[in-house]
Amino acid sequence: MAEKLTASISLDRRRTIGTISPNIFGGFIEHMGRCVYEGIYEPGSPHADADGIRIDVRNALRDMGVTIMRYPGGNFLSGYEWTDGIGPKNKRPKKRDLAWKSTETNQFGTHEFMDYCASLGSEPMLGVNLGTGTIQSAGNYVEYVNAPTGTYWSDMRAANGRKEPWGVTWWCLGNEMDGPWQIGHLNADDYGKKAREAAKIMKWHDPSIKLVLAGSSSNDMPTYPTWDRTILEHCYDLVDVLSMHYYATNNNNDTPSFLALAVDFEAYIETLASTIRYVKALKRSDKMVKLSWDEWNVWYKARLDSDMDGSWTERPHLIEEVYNLEDALVVSQWMNVFLRKCDVLEMACMAQMVNVIAPILTKKDAMLLQSIYYAFKMHATRAKGVSLDSFVSVATSNTTKFGEVPLLDVSASWDAASNTGACFVVNRSLDQSITVTIAYADGQGTVTAVRAESIYGTDPKAHNTYKNPGVVTSREIPVQSGSQGITITLPPLSSTAIDMRG
Ligand code: AHR
């Protein structure tokens, strides 16, 4: 019989990593496949309101705890003319979207997105096209969205039904401009110069905006991290965050390595944080640019070229990835990394939100919550205040890709205002439960566990279907508080949140 595994987690409320930015629980919706059309917006669905908004989806996103929403792309952004998506719907042009070889009807645009964010309770984050788009068009967009009426573009906004400026804070300077696949792809110097000139114009229109510089599309790009250093050298004084993207894969069906990906996520953040520190020193700047991990998710099962080709149709089924238990455990670790690196991370957006590599799938009359929905919600609805630096004592296991990796992946948060906290633990073991003791070594009063919730199962490939929607979900599991601390037995292949009260 296998030896019973035990572990300990030591926390100290004085030993904090940093304040958790609510923006790390962001989402991303792109004009791609059925994300916007049939996901967010579907006139004719029994679940749509009078404006065509899918209420079931909106409520699910709200429950999931999405704080900020990035829009309208993605690769789509680099060919998008924002002026196509405003004004009377029957006058909006139908156009070819070259990013996804689809037909874009423009029935959903800036006004619809802004209304959507308001009804969802999420902050909007817009992108300007730096592929085919000009720096003039980027400036015009800021004027349209944020300027008081009295000039051409702001008056057009009012004529289109919105008198008051929206005052959007976060703006992305293009998308994945390092990628040869990008419409209007540039080299680092050319992008750095274009982003800088766009940023100047955009900030002249509204100095209060915050700008996202398009960093590396992944840490295996041949230009990484030189791309990031170069563009930061061009734009450091004008931007607030550097974006990073990454899609996790398990192409070799190597589950132990897949479940150790947090090692790679941390290294990626560390490298870019160091690159930022280098440029900060070079520029003799007092400002600390932070990171925006504004595209992240598991994506490899629906990644053939044909999965990304809409054959010039409207609302094609593109990259509708099905998520299983092991994917959810990777998502949980990713969010653990966000908490452990919250000192350098301002923002993160799961890509995407509906149908396209998404936690939510829809058909006309139904919606399905995938495994990763529960993983995202677990962190997003709990983690607030400060992130705590945990000391974890646990056995390791060997992985092909990352060598010895601890069996537990841990993060913790504490909110002094409500005197509550949470500890998030992924048990990477495929077959062994682990009994964990969590103790607060800070002498600041007793902490007790309120409840614990876990996503677990025996089959890493188990997934939800419309017929069986509850296969991978979050369930309450027992937890005890005693004089030695909090004790909980974590099932193999599990992601658990323990709610605590001080
Ligand atoms: O999210 C799908 C695509 O992945 C995005 O459009 C692009 O930015 C990335 O390559």
Side-chain angles (χ1 to χ4, degrees), residues 51 62 86 100 105 123 139 197 209 224 288 295 353 402 422 462 474 481 483 497:
D51 296 323
R62 195 186 281 149
I86 56 171
W100 308 116
T105 62
E123 186 176 344
E197 295 311 308
I209 62 173
Y224 164 80
M288 187 66 199
E295 279 187 38
M353 289 286 99
F402 303 107
S474 181
S481 303
S483 54

Side-chain angles (χ1 to χ4, degrees), residues 130-149:
L130 293 189
T132 60
T134 62
I135 58 175
Q136 175 80 58
S137 162
N140 294 346
Y141 198 17
V142 176
E143 182 191 328
Y144 186 88
V145 171
N146 280 4
T149 50

Side-chain angles (χ1 to χ4, degrees), residues 79-303:
Y80 181 54
E81 292 185 66
W82 64 267
T83 47
D84 292 342
I86 56 171
K89 287 191 178 179
N90 60 3
K91 299 251 165 59
R92 297 187 194 173
K94 238 186 209 189
K95 282 197 174 165
R96 280 189 153 197
D97 160 29
L98 297 174
W100 308 116
K101 300 197 176 49
S102 306
T103 296
E104 172 55 50
T105 62
N106 285 304
Q107 294 304 290
F108 192 95
T110 300
H111 289 251
E112 290 77 22
F113 174 68
M114 295 304 299
D115 289 347
Y116 192 74
C117 287
S119 71
L120 181 60
S122 285
E123 186 176 344
M125 163 149 105
L126 290 170
V128 296
N129 170 358
L130 293 189
T132 60
T134 62
I135 58 175
Q136 175 80 58
S137 162
N140 294 346
Y141 198 17
V142 176
E143 182 191 328
Y144 186 88
V145 171
N146 280 4
T149 50
T151 50
Y152 183 79
W153 291 106
S154 56
D155 282 348
M156 189 182 295
R157 180 191 68 232
N160 287 334
R162 171 78 191 196
K163 184 161 187 300
E164 288 307 310
W166 281 295
V168 170
T169 301
W170 288 99
W171 292 80
C172 303
L173 294 162
N175 175 72
E176 292 189 354
M177 296 302 294
D178 59 335
W181 60 85
Q182 201 66 212
I183 304 168
H185 158 64
L186 296 170
N187 67 32
D189 269 320
D190 289 345
Y191 169 67
K193 285 179 198 158
K194 187 168 181 181
R196 180 173 184 83
E197 295 311 308
K200 278 161 52 185
I201 294 176
M202 292 165 75
K203 286 212 163 178
W204 282 331
H205 276 295
D206 182 352
S208 74
I209 62 173
K210 292 189 175 170
L211 295 174
V212 184
L213 191 62
S216 282
S217 299
S218 81
N219 59 352
D220 61 10
M221 291 296 290
T223 48
Y224 164 80
T226 310
W227 169 273
D228 304 273
R229 176 184 55 73
T230 309
I231 64 173
L232 280 167
E233 285 186 23
H234 282 286
C235 301
Y236 196 87
D237 53 328
L238 285 167
V239 300
D240 298 277
V241 291
L242 173 74
S243 80
M244 54 197 289
H245 293 177
Y246 184 115
Y247 290 100
T249 62
N250 187 13
N251 288 313
N252 298 329
N253 197 18
D254 173 1
T255 295
S257 295
F258 187 53
L259 291 181
L261 273 175
V263 174
D264 203 28
F265 304 155
E266 279 199 352
Y268 189 17
I269 290 199
E270 268 310 304
T271 300
L272 288 181
S274 308
T275 308
I276 290 170
R277 287 185 198 110
Y278 166 79
V279 181
K280 176 177 183 286
L282 191 74
K283 298 282 175 188
R284 314 294 191 255
S285 173
D286 292 333
K287 182 172 83 172
M288 187 66 199
V289 166
K290 287 194 167 184
L291 291 165
S292 170
W293 203 325
D294 50 38
E295 279 187 38
W296 68 272
N297 206 345
V298 174
W299 174 24
Y300 66 100
K301 303 175 207 93
R303 213 168 173 169

Side-chain angles (χ1 to χ4, degrees), residues 28 30 32 70 73-77 99-100 175-176 181-182 217 245 247 295 299 303 308 319 351-352 356-357:
F28 168 47
E30 173 168 10
M32 176 179 185
R70 178 171 176 255
N75 296 345
F76 172 81
L77 174 66
W100 308 116
N175 175 72
E176 292 189 354
W181 60 85
Q182 201 66 212
S217 299
H245 293 177
Y247 290 100
E295 279 187 38
W299 174 24
R303 213 168 173 169
M308 293 180 246
I319 59 170
Q352 300 186 9
V356 172
I357 43 172

